[in-house]
């Protein structure tokens, strides 16, 4: 399925039905590390009665081993590809009723340790989820079928001579038709264009990231500083500028601790989620707008894009009007993958209908401002459905404010006001402490 058509929800529905009808003995979901907690969140969201017992295999190895050994306590295990590769010996005596691999292009190279580990797992039925089963070579399709039904497309050498060489090198239509006929009973292919009448104009999704130990320590340290200010002897009203500064630091740590700690040597959970999302979008043929409030974050993302050979343009508040017009026109008409845009520069006045995926790297607190940015792509002239992703760091001020937006609009508006630098006057110390958890 194309991005945004609900592959995750389809599998959750399948597993809930299997549980209800006694077919779910144990399921293993394998996905990129950046999506492990997203799967957990989505299951919680749709399994409202909490019938599916889920174990996320992301802790230390001893804890993962204990969780696997206590398999009677869980219905579903969720593991990243790399974690599965490291843990594969723990699965030796296990058999699953369902095995699901998400972003199945991760096993496109049959010779990698990840591909070998995925194919070692024993399961009664296997699903491969991807929007891009063939990115560059037909061997990638062979590797996915080698996972689903080993031997169905013969050995790789036989497949290469019978199909890959004749289709790719010789352009043989008969071989292509024969291969299509063979795989079609096992492929459900849906594109947005085919189901457009059933889709809203704008599909919105939250992608959740969770910190590793280093990033969590950086966040907790800054959070303690802020709580000390709030609990100190100083008059609350006179501390508000310090509080605003500390809240900004918390938000920056959610984006990437490198924004405020020069010597930070760890990873950024959200950046990894973002890169995986961008790659999936590009591989599926989409163009992307990526918004952040922090221009320094755009610099970090731009640098990472260069390392990953992802082409991009950047607009910030300092970009001249003339250059903006040129970049917008170029992006709408060329093959550049991503447009990086700062909050102040990109909220209004840009017509970017060349893109049909929008990523909000950090929440804008103010939905009106966020929607205004989204509407750079979702506007008259846009021929495709637009998919909007909001990236949120789990268990942080970001998550709290998004929840407050939904449940306590008035309080969120007050936070917005001081966030915009207007006034801290209307928010109490107690409400702020609640916001910080």
């Amino acid at each position: 399925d194309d991005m945004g058509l609900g592959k995750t929800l389809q599998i959750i529905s399948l597993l809930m039905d299997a549980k209800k009808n006694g077919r779910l003995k144990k399921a293993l979901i394998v996905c990129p590390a950046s999506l492990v907690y997203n799967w957990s969140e989505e299951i919680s969201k749709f399994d409202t009665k909490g019938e599916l017992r889920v174990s996320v295999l992301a802790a230390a190895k001893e804890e993962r081993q204990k969780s696997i050994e206590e398999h009677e306590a869980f219905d579903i295990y969720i593991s990243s590809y790399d974690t599965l590769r490291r843990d594969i010996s723990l699965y030796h005596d296990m058999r699953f009723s369902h095995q699901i691999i998400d972003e199945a292009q991760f096993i496109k190279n049959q010779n990698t340790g990840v591909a070998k580990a995925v194919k070692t797992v024993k399961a009664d039925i296997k699903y491969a989820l991807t929007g891009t089963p063939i990115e560059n070579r037909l061997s990638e399709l062979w590797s996915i079928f080698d996972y689903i039904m080993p031997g169905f497309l013969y050995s790789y050498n036989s497949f290469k001579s019978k199909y890959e060489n004749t289709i790719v090198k010789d352009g043989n239509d008969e071989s292509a038709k024969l291969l299509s006929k063979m795989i079609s009973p096992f492929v459900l292919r849906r594109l947005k264009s085919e189901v457009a009448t059933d889709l809203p104009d704008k599909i919105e999704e939250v992608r959740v990231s969770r910190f590793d130990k280093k990033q969590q320590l950086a966040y907790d340290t800054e959070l303690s500083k802020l709580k000390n200010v709030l609990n100190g002897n100083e008059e609350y009203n006179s501390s508000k500028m310090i509080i605003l500064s500390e809240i900004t630091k918390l938000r920056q740590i959610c984006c990437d601790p490198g924004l405020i700690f020069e010597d930070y040597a760890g990873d950024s959970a959200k950046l990894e989620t973002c890169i995986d999302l961008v790659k999936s979008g590009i591989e599926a043929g989409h163009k992307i707008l990526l918004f952040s409030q922090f221009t320094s974050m755009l610099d970090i993302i731009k640098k990472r894009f260069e390392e990953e050979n992802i082409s991009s343009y950047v607009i910030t508040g300092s970009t001249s009007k003339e250059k903006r017009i040129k970049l917008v026109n170029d992006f709408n008409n060329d093959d550049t993958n991503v447009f990086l845009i700062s909050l102040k520069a990109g909220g209004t006045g840009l017509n970017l209908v060349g893109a049909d995926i929008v990523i909000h790297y950090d929440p804008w607190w103010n939905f009106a401002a966020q929607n205004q940015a989204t509407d750079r792509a979702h506007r008259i002239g846009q021929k495709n459905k637009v998919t909007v992703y909001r990236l949120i760091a789990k268990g942080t001020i970001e998550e709290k404010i998004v929840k407050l937006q939904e449940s306590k609009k008035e309080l969120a508006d007050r936070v917005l006001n001081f966030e915009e630098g207007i006034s801290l006057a209307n928010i109490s110390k107690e409400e702020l402490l609640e916001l910080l958890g």
Side-chain angles (χ1 to χ4, degrees):
D1 278 7
D2 205 353
M3 291 179 83
L5 292 186
K7 293 187 284 289
T8 306
L9 178 53
Q10 289 175 65
I11 289 296
I12 294 169
S13 303
L14 170 85
L15 295 176
M16 288 175 71
D17 183 70
K19 171 86 175 184
K20 182 180 175 183
N21 292 292
R23 299 192 316 276
L24 180 62
K25 295 179 178 64
K26 201 75 59 200
L28 174 65
I29 297 169
V30 189
C31 59
S34 62
L35 292 178
V36 166
Y37 288 104
N38 205 70
W39 267 97
S40 175
E41 291 282 312
E42 291 290 292
I43 292 170
S44 299
K45 177 179 168 184
F46 291 108
D47 177 25
T48 52
K49 294 179 181 175
E51 292 173 353
L52 297 174
R53 300 166 300 166
V54 178
S55 173
V56 177
L57 300 170
K61 180 151 189 177
E62 299 76 28
E63 292 177 54
R64 299 198 303 269
Q65 183 169 352
K66 186 181 175 189
S67 183
I68 290 170
E69 287 170 353
E70 294 174 353
H71 54 84
E72 294 304 321
F74 302 107
D75 298 307
I76 301 170
Y77 288 107
I78 304 172
S79 171
S80 72
Y81 284 101
D82 280 333
T83 300
L84 178 72
R85 178 180 55 80
R86 292 197 299 269
D87 290 351
I88 196 60
S89 61
L90 302 177
Y91 293 86
H92 184 68
D93 297 323
M94 294 185 75
R95 186 173 188 90
F96 295 90
S97 58
H98 301 73
Q99 183 187 6
I100 297 106
I101 62 169
D102 192 14
E103 301 293 351
Q105 62 272 20
F106 267 66
I107 66 160
K108 64 185 179 183
N109 183 342
Q110 76 249 30
N111 298 314
T112 62
V114 161
K116 289 173 182 173
V118 163
K119 294 172 185 182
T120 300
V121 175
K122 296 183 280 290
D124 297 332
I125 185 165
K126 298 180 177 183
Y127 292 88
L129 311 183
T130 177
T132 51
I134 304 168
E135 290 173 8
N136 300 305
R137 296 190 269 299
L138 270 182
S139 59
E140 298 164 5
L141 181 69
W142 180 88
S143 186
I144 291 175
F145 267 86
D146 187 47
Y147 153 71
I148 297 169
M149 295 183 294
F152 179 71
L153 291 183
Y154 320 107
S155 69
Y156 176 59
N157 286 335
S158 297
F159 175 81
K160 187 175 181 182
S161 61
K162 190 174 174 71
Y163 293 107
E164 193 166 22
N165 289 343
T166 56
I167 293 169
V168 178
K169 290 183 181 175
D170 306 333
N172 188 312
D173 282 346
E174 287 304 310
S175 292
K177 283 177 187 173
L178 182 59
L179 178 60
S180 178
K181 206 175 218 180
M182 281 186 74
I183 68 170
S184 62
F186 311 102
V187 177
L188 288 168
R189 179 63 165 156
R190 292 192 311 154
L191 302 172
K192 279 184 186 172
S193 56
E194 295 169 346
V195 290
T197 55
D198 301 326
L199 287 176
D201 291 338
K202 187 165 62 175
I203 302 163
E204 303 206 35
E205 184 179 323
V206 173
R207 281 283 169 101
V208 178
S209 311
R210 185 171 292 208
F211 296 154
D212 62 9
K213 286 181 181 176
K214 281 187 180 176
Q215 194 170 4
Q216 189 67 57
L217 180 62
Y219 184 86
D220 289 346
T221 303
E222 209 57 46
L223 182 61
S224 295
K225 282 187 194 175
L226 178 49
K227 286 186 174 177
N228 287 339
V229 172
L230 287 170
N231 294 321
N233 295 324
E234 280 197 47
E235 171 62 32
Y236 172 66
N237 286 330
S238 64
S239 308
K240 283 185 177 174
M241 290 314 295
I242 299 170
I243 292 165
L244 175 56
S245 172
E246 291 298 322
I247 285 176
T248 302
K249 286 179 185 175
L250 283 179
R251 291 174 43 222
Q252 288 174 314
I253 292 169
C254 292
C255 292
D256 189 318
L259 289 174
I260 58 173
F261 301 119
E262 283 185 19
D263 56 347
Y264 181 74
D267 292 327
S268 160
K270 190 185 281 194
L271 182 58
E272 297 311 313
T273 298
C274 180
I275 295 298
D276 283 350
L277 186 57
V278 166
K279 282 182 175 178
S280 295
I282 293 168
E283 286 157 4
H286 299 285
K287 297 187 75 164
I288 301 163
L289 306 185
L290 198 160
F291 292 96
S292 175
Q293 294 167 77
F294 304 108
T295 55
S296 47
M297 189 65 232
L298 296 180
D299 293 339
I300 290 172
I301 296 170
K302 174 78 172 172
K303 185 180 176 188
R304 182 67 183 274
F305 279 180
E306 288 167 359
E307 292 169 7
E308 303 280 351
N309 293 318
I310 296 169
S311 59
S312 64
Y313 293 135
V314 184
I315 282 183
T316 67
S318 61
T319 309
S320 69
K321 285 182 181 177
E322 295 76 18
K323 189 172 182 185
R324 281 188 205 197
I325 292 166
K326 182 181 186 308
L327 289 175
V328 167
N329 288 335
D330 288 349
F331 181 77
N332 284 335
N333 295 294
D334 67 16
D335 295 328
T336 303
N337 302 132
V338 188
F339 213 135
L340 297 164
I341 307 171
S342 71
L343 164 63
K344 288 184 178 174
T348 56
L350 301 178
N351 185 349
L352 289 160
V353 292
D356 58 359
I357 289 178
V358 177
I359 299 173
H360 294 290
Y361 191 87
D362 32 85
W364 292 24
W365 320 135
N366 183 333
F367 273 175
Q370 188 167 289
N371 286 337
Q372 202 171 41
T374 298
D375 288 345
R376 299 311 95 224
H378 183 243
R379 60 194 299 149
I380 293 169
Q382 175 58 266
K383 296 179 178 68
N384 302 315
K385 303 295 175 183
V386 174
T387 308
V388 183
Y389 295 95
R390 286 189 287 151
L391 307 188
I392 301 294
K394 176 79 176 164
T396 69
I397 189 170
E398 289 190 339
E399 192 178 52
K400 292 284 170 65
I401 289 188
V402 168
K403 283 181 179 173
L404 281 170
Q405 281 180 325
E406 294 161 3
S407 63
K408 289 190 177 181
K409 190 74 169 64
E410 186 185 344
L411 174 57
D413 284 342
R414 284 186 242 163
V415 174
L416 288 173
N417 286 339
F418 82 72
E419 168 51 38
E420 296 289 346
I422 299 167
S423 171
L424 259 173
N426 294 326
I427 187 167
S428 70
K429 183 196 276 191
E430 290 71 27
E431 286 172 323
L432 191 51
L433 281 166
E434 182 187 346
L435 186 68
L436 298 170

